[in-house]
Amino acid sequence: MFTSQPIGFISSPYRETKEIPKGLGAQHHAEGVLKILPEFAPGLTDIEGFSHLIVIWEFDRAPGFELLGTPPSDNRPHGVFATRSPRRPNPIGLTTVELRHKDGMDLHVRGVDMLDGTPILDIKPYLSSIPPEKLRRGWLAEAEGRQR
């Protein structure tokens, strides 16, 4: 086991969970800044060459966890590992953002869905060799079909 240590914090327009778009068709276009702590600055070397980043962060305000829950995008319960629920056994979030530009230790990004002040645990460049037509959307595709 390891103890996580934030490498920085998000500056986000969202102050409360209810402000973050959720559910079917939710779009994440909000801009924010990944504010990296000075001791981790060398780790940002060459990051500006990537268009998108995977941000791993902590649900630091989520109380406990539930293994089954009903997401806002469906009226049926699903297992926590088949959802993006914040109430997880290990409160870890993952978001793909577009890197707009780097300014010193600040990464200006688009696509944030985290609360302001959320601890950032890691950043990785987004690399995928999976073509979009091979991706499956699981129960979400079925829920979207019922909405039509």
Side-chain angles (χ1 to χ4, degrees), residues 28-32 52 96-100 108-112:
H28 297 284
H29 299 296
E31 296 199 5
H52 290 76
T96 301
V97 296
E98 177 187 0
L99 177 59
R100 308 288 288 157
H108 294 257
V109 298
R110 178 181 291 153
V112 300

Side-chain angles (χ1 to χ4, degrees), residues 58-81:
E58 181 182 345
F59 283 107
D60 61 322
R61 289 162 255 187
F65 68 91
E66 295 176 341
L67 294 177
L68 281 176
T70 304
S73 52
D74 200 3
N75 59 0
R76 300 175 185 184
H78 300 281
V80 70
F81 306 125

Side-chain angles (χ1 to χ4, degrees), residues 11-32:
S11 175
S12 163
Y14 303 122
R15 304 291 184 262
E16 297 180 41
T17 306
K18 66 182 178 185
E19 298 171 339
I20 300 171
K22 296 176 195 63
L24 296 176
Q27 300 279 322
H28 297 284
H29 299 296
E31 296 199 5

Side-chain angles (χ1 to χ4, degrees), residues 53-64:
L53 305 172
I54 297 170
V55 182
I56 301 169
W57 47 278
E58 181 182 345
F59 283 107
D60 61 322
R61 289 162 255 187

Side-chain angles (χ1 to χ4, degrees), residues 21-134:
K22 296 176 195 63
L24 296 176
Q27 300 279 322
H28 297 284
H29 299 296
E31 296 199 5
V33 181
L34 307 179
K35 297 184 153 299
I36 306 306
L37 297 171
E39 61 266 37
F40 298 103
L44 296 175
T45 303
D46 299 326
I47 200 164
E48 55 269 54
F50 294 93
S51 65
H52 290 76
L53 305 172
I54 297 170
V55 182
I56 301 169
W57 47 278
E58 181 182 345
F59 283 107
D60 61 322
R61 289 162 255 187
F65 68 91
E66 295 176 341
L67 294 177
L68 281 176
T70 304
S73 52
D74 200 3
N75 59 0
R76 300 175 185 184
H78 300 281
V80 70
F81 306 125
T83 72
R84 295 185 54 90
S85 169
R87 302 196 60 203
R88 314 183 76 74
N90 290 304
I92 298 169
L94 180 127
T95 300
T96 301
V97 296
E98 177 187 0
L99 177 59
R100 308 288 288 157
H101 68 277
K102 177 179 173 275
D103 181 19
M105 295 177 295
D106 292 346
L107 302 176
H108 294 257
V109 298
R110 178 181 291 153
V112 300
D113 62 354
M114 313 88 133
L115 294 173
D116 189 58
T118 293
I120 300 166
L121 302 178
D122 203 356
I123 301 168
K124 297 177 183 287
Y126 177 82
L127 305 170
S128 178
S129 61
I130 303 168
E133 64 274 5
K134 296 249 181 188

